[in-house]
Amino acid sequence: MGEILDCLVIGGGPAGLTASVYLGRFRRRVTVIDKGWSRAEWIPLSHNLPGFANGIAGSALLQNMRLQARLYGADLQKGEVEDLRRTDDGCFRATVDGVDWSARTVLLATGVIENRPPLPHVADAVKRGRIRTCPICDGYEAIGKRVAVLGQGEHAAAEALFLRTYSEQITLLLPAYGADALSSETRRALEAAAVIITHVTVGAVSLEDNGVVALAVEDGEIHRFDVVYSAFGTAAQSQLANALKALTDSSGRLVVNEHQQTSVEGLYAAGDLVRGLNQIAVADGEAAIAATAIHNLLPKTLA
């Protein structure tokens, strides 16, 4: 592309779209490159997003945000960024489906991807609410239900303990083979909270129309649950930043300053790619901070 953008936003989820709304209202030339997949699309109904007392589906939220971004002049493009590099003039150049785009700044909002559980039809099950991935988001909706947490190690145990606030019927499903890597301290905490630990094999957990069933190794019995939380963690989508040698933490998420700028000047990041809370409200706030910092960094434009 011949035009040099003020900002290229990579990622069309809540963080990327919020930034594009702000930058559009700052009268900046901004393009969003979206490969058409956002974890927010999986949300059947979010009840913890401020302003939506009756909840809102992730797909509806993204549709509204796209409309708002376009209203203020943001250019939304479908595509995947294959390469991101600095040029001699200090700008960034991104290759998108074989076409080069140039921008003075870049905002990365590529998020994370779920490490999928060994279950069939995961995406459909998440959309139906049978499998959940975020206790912070929808633990409230699990009040009083039979809840299973399927995962490995300390991460899964922590989610089970977190969910104990909402239900007294919490079962931690751990793999039958291979170390489950629970410390003695964690085991004591699970026992004190009356969290049941059960071991399962691959293929022993299945989805039914009215819930989730698991065949336990210990007793050979079928156990039924209303909902299962997948606790296999996530993987940060930081490959583009890694190519620019941006600083990351031990989990692969980008390290940013108070203005959401990475260790690479002009390269910003917001949303799940930055910190592990994985909340839309947090992503929106970080995107607003980043967009304002980008606007203030760029040369002033006069009306």
Side-chain angles (χ1 to χ4, degrees):
M1 301 292 290
E3 179 187 32
I4 298 180
L5 300 168
D6 288 319
C7 184
L8 180 68
V9 177
I10 304 176
L17 292 172
T18 296
S20 69
V21 169
Y22 272 73
L23 288 164
R25 289 177 58 84
F26 290 145
R27 307 183 73 181
R28 294 297 184 178
R29 293 187 301 277
V30 55
T31 289
V32 179
I33 303 296
D34 179 18
K35 66 179 181 180
W37 183 91
S38 169
R39 289 172 73 241
E41 290 275 7
W42 290 30
I43 301 172
L45 201 64
S46 175
H47 291 279
N48 77 332
L49 190 60
F52 299 95
N54 296 318
I56 184 170
S59 58
L61 176 68
L62 290 173
Q63 183 179 8
N64 290 344
M65 297 182 78
R66 292 183 191 113
L67 289 172
Q68 188 176 10
R70 289 190 176 103
L71 178 65
Y72 295 112
D75 175 35
L76 308 185
Q77 297 283 337
K78 285 289 182 68
E80 185 168 359
V81 177
E82 302 156 355
D83 180 59
L84 180 64
R85 56 201 181 278
R86 284 306 273 275
T87 55
D88 292 339
D89 59 2
C91 291
F92 294 88
R93 184 165 296 161
T95 302
V96 183
D97 299 329
V99 177
D100 284 345
W101 295 70
S102 294
R104 294 182 176 87
T105 61
V106 169
L107 173 65
L108 291 175
T110 47
V112 298
I113 58 172
E114 299 285 344
N115 295 324
R116 295 195 174 195
L119 294 171
H121 313 298
V122 172
D124 180 62
V126 171
K127 290 179 180 178
R128 291 167 52 204
R130 290 285 178 257
I131 297 177
R132 299 180 183 177
T133 60
C134 179
I136 294 175
C137 305
D138 50 30
Y140 188 90
E141 280 65 51
I143 288 178
K145 293 184 177 180
R146 298 168 299 174
V147 179
V149 177
L150 175 64
Q152 297 181 13
E154 297 289 331
H155 176 72
E159 290 206 1
L161 289 169
F162 182 90
L163 285 161
R164 188 61 178 81
T165 297
Y166 302 102
S167 174
E168 62 182 9
Q169 303 176 80
I170 304 293
T171 299
L172 176 59
L173 302 178
L174 296 173
Y177 303 106
D180 52 34
L182 295 182
S183 68
S184 56
E185 181 181 359
T186 296
R187 290 184 178 278
R188 286 193 297 269
L190 291 167
E191 182 179 359
V195 173
I196 298 170
I197 300 177
T198 296
H199 293 82
V200 294
T201 59
V202 174
V205 181
S206 59
L207 307 175
E208 295 186 346
D209 289 339
N210 59 348
V212 181
V213 298
L215 176 63
V217 169
E218 283 86 351
D219 56 15
E221 297 289 329
I222 295 291
H223 298 261
R224 298 185 180 277
F225 306 97
D226 299 308
V227 64
V228 60
Y229 279 84
S230 173
F232 288 90
T234 59
Q237 298 303 285
S238 53
Q239 296 91 333
L240 295 173
N242 292 338
L244 292 169
K245 299 187 179 349
L247 185 64
T248 58
D249 64 16
S250 59
S251 67
R253 297 177 192 258
L254 288 173
V255 176
V256 298
N257 64 14
E258 66 272 21
H259 300 296
Q260 300 298 130
Q261 185 171 232
T262 70
S263 59
V264 177
E265 185 177 1
L267 180 67
Y268 293 76
D272 298 349
L273 183 60
V274 175
R275 52 179 52 84
L277 200 57
N278 296 351
Q279 294 292 293
I280 292 174
V282 174
D284 290 348
E286 291 177 348
I289 292 170
T292 304
I294 288 168
H295 172 63
N296 289 333
L297 175 72
L298 294 168
K300 299 297 182 186
T301 57
L302 303 179

